[in-house]
Amino acid sequence: MFIRLLLTAMMATALAFAQGGGAGGGMGDDMGGTGGRGSGMGDDTGGMPRMQRQSPFDIFADRLKLNKDQKTEALTVVGDALKESAPLRQQLMQAKLDIAKAMLGGASTDDLKKTMDAYISVDAQVTGLETKAFAKVCATLKPNQQGKAASAFELMAGLFIAPAGGAGGRSGGRRGRN
């Protein structure tokens, strides 16, 4: 009986946290009304501004200390490279699925090697596009910004990761290079 009560309390707590607003929110919270708490500014954090999570591109730009013009140009370069790499990124996802199917299906070592070689080939093409785009961004850097370029490349590569939704470049992780 005690375990059942404990599990019920844990589930209720998890549900309360999952709703994001905690307890006591009223009807007006999302529309800017007071709703019984908060500052009446439409937030649900008791009047304190909510920390916004930076996008992977913003983290990249901050690492390089890009000014407004450089950031705009870098965004264009990265956007063009993302468009160019879209079919390759789809091929990478398919290659990952093929590798998993081969491993789970008990494929021979030769078949598995062919599948992995196909993945590596496409991954190298995407890396080439990342490098070209990075070189274009680096060409816009001032001498005092160039020292941070090497540490920013991994962040650049993270921009090319397509999340499950396929929106391109928003997850910030690394492609299977670990």
Side-chain angles (χ1 to χ4, degrees):
M1 182 65 177
F2 177 72
I3 292 176
R4 229 184 218 176
L5 181 62
L6 183 62
L7 287 173
T8 303
M10 287 177 24
M11 289 176 61
T13 303
L15 286 173
F17 281 116
Q19 291 180 0
M27 295 286 290
D29 284 347
D30 292 335
M31 302 303 291
T34 58
R37 64 183 190 93
S39 66
M41 299 298 289
D43 60 20
D44 62 354
T45 58
M48 295 189 56
R50 189 182 290 192
M51 285 291 292
Q52 290 191 2
R53 186 174 174 189
Q54 282 188 307
S55 72
F57 178 80
D58 289 334
I59 295 169
F60 172 75
D62 286 349
R63 173 81 52 95
L64 290 173
K65 306 286 188 220
L66 299 180
N67 64 33
K68 187 176 180 180
D69 293 335
Q70 289 173 318
K71 193 171 182 179
T72 301
E73 188 171 340
L75 191 57
T76 301
V77 167
V78 170
D80 291 346
L82 281 170
K83 287 177 190 171
E84 188 177 350
S85 70
L88 294 173
R89 289 182 285 124
Q90 288 177 342
Q91 290 177 29
L92 279 177
M93 290 304 297
Q94 185 59 49
K96 285 181 182 182
L97 289 173
D98 292 346
I99 291 169
K101 288 177 186 176
M103 292 177 104
L104 293 173
S108 69
T109 305
D110 289 337
D111 289 339
L112 189 57
K113 184 179 179 339
K114 287 178 189 175
T115 307
M116 289 185 171
D117 287 345
Y119 175 84
I120 291 168
S121 173
V122 176
D123 188 54
Q125 292 175 50
V126 173
T127 301
L129 290 173
E130 291 170 357
T131 305
K132 285 180 191 175
F134 188 69
K136 288 178 183 177
V137 172
C138 285
T140 68
L141 297 179
K142 297 175 182 173
N144 63 331
Q145 295 170 313
Q146 291 174 352
K148 297 175 180 23
S151 67
F153 181 73
E154 185 166 340
L155 295 172
M156 174 75 158
L159 299 174
F160 284 76
I161 310 301
R170 303 293 275 152
S171 69
R174 292 289 295 165
R175 236 179 9 258
R177 294 185 189 158
N178 295 344

